[in-house]
Amino acid sequence: MASLLALGTSAMAIDVQPYIGAGAGVSFGKTEVTVNTPGYVYLGDESERKSSASLILKGGAILDSSHRLSLSYAPSFHSDANVHNVMAGYDYLIPLNDKNKLYVGAHAGVSSFKGKDEISDYSMSGFAYGAQAGYIYDITKNIEFEFGLNYTKYNVDKTYSYSAFGHNGKVKFELKDSISTMVGINYKF
């Protein structure tokens, strides 16, 4: 963040406007569990999509009023698990008029999954990437309201071995994807 501020004060050829933001929303994450007992019974797959409350803290810079770079931390909290995302993002800003604009972009980073209660042994992390789109309204010169939608694909899975009733088996737990909504406020310096 300090380097972005330094870039904003020293850049002459490009207009750089640093910003910070915070927001909240809902995330709908999909997990899949595959249970396999070789030589005995294949128990199959179980897939479900659950909703969770999510937060977002981000900072970055707007370049030439049409490109936005960001670094964000977005945890999601569910009764069964917590998912923590740290993402770098890029948005292309599309002005509609002086106060309204749309954006489309992409994000990539790392994600970690930590189960609770009966799935507390499931702890894993990996790469995540996706796309986003949204709407920004300038409340004042420095304060803006933002509404966004994100789709994130995860490469987060872990396989566990177990033994029950004299048979060895494997359980693969995988975080597949999530669809998130967010509303927030950004402050531009």
Side-chain angles (χ1 to χ4, degrees), residues 60-83:
I62 301 166
L63 310 174
D64 285 336
S65 300
S66 59
H67 306 280
R68 182 169 74 163
L69 302 174
S70 64
L71 183 62
S72 65
Y73 169 65
S76 295
F77 307 101
H78 186 269
S79 59
D80 293 339
N82 292 336
V83 177

Side-chain angles (χ1 to χ4, degrees), residues 101-104 132-136 147-149:
K101 57 187 149 262
L102 300 175
Y103 66 87
V104 294
Q132 68 250 4
Y135 166 77
I136 297 172
F147 170 77
L149 297 170

Side-chain angles (χ1 to χ4, degrees), residues 1 5 17-22 57-61 142 144 185-189:
M1 189 64 163
L5 289 172
Q17 186 172 28
Y19 76 96
I20 57 172
L57 300 172
K58 65 181 175 177
N142 297 95
E144 59 187 17
I185 297 290
N186 299 325
Y187 180 80
K188 300 181 288 187
F189 296 95

Side-chain angles (χ1 to χ4, degrees), residues 13-141:
I14 190 168
D15 180 26
V16 177
Q17 186 172 28
Y19 76 96
I20 57 172
V26 178
S27 182
F28 301 93
K30 183 178 181 182
T31 57
E32 185 173 280
V33 178
T34 304
V35 180
N36 192 350
T37 308
Y40 182 61
V41 176
Y42 172 69
L43 299 175
D45 298 338
E46 181 181 317
S47 178
E48 66 180 334
R49 190 171 292 278
K50 288 188 173 183
S51 63
S52 59
S54 61
L55 300 173
I56 186 167
L57 300 172
K58 65 181 175 177
I62 301 166
L63 310 174
D64 285 336
S65 300
S66 59
H67 306 280
R68 182 169 74 163
L69 302 174
S70 64
L71 183 62
S72 65
Y73 169 65
S76 295
F77 307 101
H78 186 269
S79 59
D80 293 339
N82 292 336
V83 177
H84 297 271
N85 297 305
V86 177
M87 301 284 179
Y90 167 80
D91 295 313
Y92 180 72
L93 304 173
I94 305 162
L96 300 175
N97 57 36
D98 289 343
K99 290 190 169 275
N100 297 282
K101 57 187 149 262
L102 300 175
Y103 66 87
V104 294
H107 58 270
V110 294
S111 182
S112 70
F113 177 95
K114 176 67 177 151
K116 297 180 191 175
D117 300 329
E118 53 281 339
I119 62 169
S120 62
D121 292 338
Y122 294 95
S123 179
M124 55 199 164
S125 61
F127 182 68
Y129 59 94
Q132 68 250 4
Y135 166 77
I136 297 172
Y137 174 74
D138 290 330
I139 298 171
T140 68
K141 179 183 173 199

